[in-house]
Amino acid sequence: ADRLIEEYEARLKAEPKNLKVLRNVAELYAQKKDFDRSLEYYERMRAFDGGADAALERAIGETQLKRFDHLMGQLDPNAPDYPQQLAQLQSQAVGLMARLRDADITSVACACDPLTILYLTQLANQQGYDPEWLVVGVGFVDLDVVGQLVDNGSGGGQWERAFGGSP
């Protein structure tokens, strides 16, 4: 991936408005889990089209969700600054759910723990956002009892649109 990124970035020096190359670089950075760099390239694309490309908006929303999911997975509950990190991520989640809704993202997959899923479903409910939830089978989210807790805790039947498998 690094070699491809170098090639694409060299090409962008000659063709800075090449949206296909910008998208390729953004996708490669997302694969490397460098979501901030990925989002930078998507924002460069947005500057050229003025935010009118629905597919681009979906890609940005999906990348932000992957970033959020990755950051949640990196949290260490034993770290002294855990409460501050968690609060920061929760505030980012509010904007994330709004962006997913506004970009017409119809399916949300989060490989996270049940509390994060519960929080996201509550936010979706508060924002009138009703996506389908893809259960990826981690963090016990695929267990019936956990699904019932998420459904009851979301306050609006968000988990009625959940489906997926277990590993």
Side-chain angles (χ1 to χ4, degrees):
D2 290 331
R3 188 177 59 79
L4 270 176
I5 290 173
E6 285 178 27
E7 289 175 18
Y8 284 140
E9 287 179 336
R11 194 166 156 195
L12 283 171
K13 289 179 182 171
E15 306 171 58
K17 295 182 180 181
N18 188 325
L19 298 180
K20 182 172 176 24
V21 175
L22 285 168
R23 182 178 296 273
N24 289 342
V25 174
E27 290 171 353
L28 287 168
Y29 274 119
Q31 288 174 12
K32 291 180 54 169
K33 299 192 183 325
D34 189 344
F35 299 109
D36 291 331
R37 289 294 304 261
S38 175
L39 290 167
E40 286 175 24
Y41 280 89
Y42 281 130
E43 289 300 330
R44 284 175 60 181
M45 290 175 66
R46 181 189 274 161
F48 294 124
D49 78 0
D53 182 352
L56 174 60
E57 295 304 312
R58 275 192 298 281
I60 291 171
E62 289 168 359
T63 302
Q64 288 178 326
L65 183 60
K66 289 176 187 174
R67 178 182 177 273
F68 176 79
D69 189 32
H70 177 72
L71 291 174
M72 286 299 293
Q74 300 297 312
L75 284 180
D76 177 7
N78 298 318
D81 62 342
Y82 175 76
Q84 293 85 4
Q85 290 180 11
L86 184 61
Q88 181 182 10
L89 282 175
Q90 287 176 335
S91 69
Q92 290 175 11
V94 174
L96 171 63
M97 294 309 286
R99 173 168 289 255
L100 294 175
R101 181 197 63 219
D102 294 346
D104 292 325
I105 303 292
T106 59
S107 301
V108 176
C110 184
C112 31
D113 64 274
L115 293 177
T116 301
I117 293 286
L118 177 62
Y119 183 69
L120 291 175
T121 57
Q122 289 171 343
L123 284 175
N125 238 17
Q126 292 167 7
Q127 296 181 13
Y129 177 45
D130 297 317
E132 59 187 11
W133 295 90
L134 306 176
V135 178
V136 295
V138 298
F140 304 109
V141 174
D142 56 333
L143 297 178
D144 182 56
V145 67
V146 175
Q148 290 179 38
L149 291 170
V150 170
D151 190 44
N152 291 333
S154 71
Q158 285 288 326
W159 219 236
E160 291 172 3
R161 292 175 303 285
F163 68 94
S166 294

